[in-house]
Amino acid sequence: MPVSYLGARAAYRLWVGFQFFSLAALLYLLIGADRSLTTATRVSLASLGALCNPVYTNLYYTQVQVPILLGMVIVQRLLARRADAGAGLLLAFLAHMKLYPLAIAGYLVIRGRWRAIAWLGVGTIAGVVLAGLAAGWPLVVKFPSHLGIISNDLSQLSISGHVVDL
């Protein structure tokens, strides 16, 4: 919502800049921080990752998958450090952009990471409350009944992103 106060060009440039930052941070976390690889190998892998067609398509259409993937990598790192609160809250935030990060909740159940699941629930409820305050409660209440109307593809759904579309 704060970006909506900017002009269209400024908001677009801010979003594209955020996407490039997300891609650079993602490549660093996945490849650059691995000191077992030579510098040439890390540069080659990062170049291939940045130049592959799905990444280009994501950036061209200004989609949200690269920032979500960065968030999921950060969630994995937080879980490895036993920072369940941060992992659960970040996962809830990602689920408000798209629903597919919630698949990690299945992993959390299997591994018995109940604190992370509890924080995921807290973050999800907080996000729904914020969406209700921002868009109005009638739209939030209608959201579950409109899931089939909005899209048949669950990977395209988000809680907060489509509340306004109803």
Side-chain angles (χ1 to χ4, degrees):
M1 191 158 148
V3 178
S4 65
Y5 296 115
L6 297 174
R9 284 181 192 239
Y12 175 79
R13 289 180 179 149
L14 180 67
W15 177 250
V16 169
F18 177 67
Q19 283 193 311
F20 280 110
F21 169 78
S22 296
L23 179 61
L26 177 65
L27 290 172
Y28 175 77
L29 287 176
L30 292 176
I31 300 166
D34 185 0
R35 299 296 174 208
S36 67
L37 301 173
T38 66
T39 302
T41 303
R42 288 195 309 255
V43 169
S44 297
L45 289 173
S47 299
L48 289 172
L51 295 174
C52 74
N53 191 46
V55 172
Y56 168 78
T57 302
N58 181 80
L59 296 173
Y60 182 80
Y61 291 109
T62 62
Q63 296 175 349
V64 73
Q65 282 77 1
V66 170
I68 286 178
L69 183 56
L70 173 62
M72 290 173 69
V73 168
I74 294 171
V75 165
Q76 179 267 330
R77 300 276 171 109
L78 289 171
L79 287 171
R81 291 188 177 121
R82 310 293 283 170
D84 291 345
L89 290 173
L90 180 55
L91 193 56
F93 177 77
L94 296 174
H96 281 280
M97 289 194 284
K98 296 283 184 184
L99 286 180
Y100 65 83
L102 283 181
I104 295 176
Y107 167 79
L108 296 175
V109 169
I110 291 169
R111 301 295 286 179
R113 303 293 292 268
W114 305 113
R115 278 192 68 227
I117 293 170
W119 281 105
L120 171 61
V122 167
T124 301
I125 291 169
V128 170
V129 168
L130 288 174
L133 293 174
W137 288 105
L139 293 176
V140 174
V141 172
K142 288 181 190 178
F143 177 74
S145 65
H146 286 83
L147 285 177
I149 296 170
I150 295 171
S151 174
N152 291 329
D153 184 6
L154 284 178
S155 68
Q156 298 302 317
L157 294 179
S158 70
I159 298 168
S160 302
H162 290 292
V163 166
V164 185
D165 291 344
L166 299 175

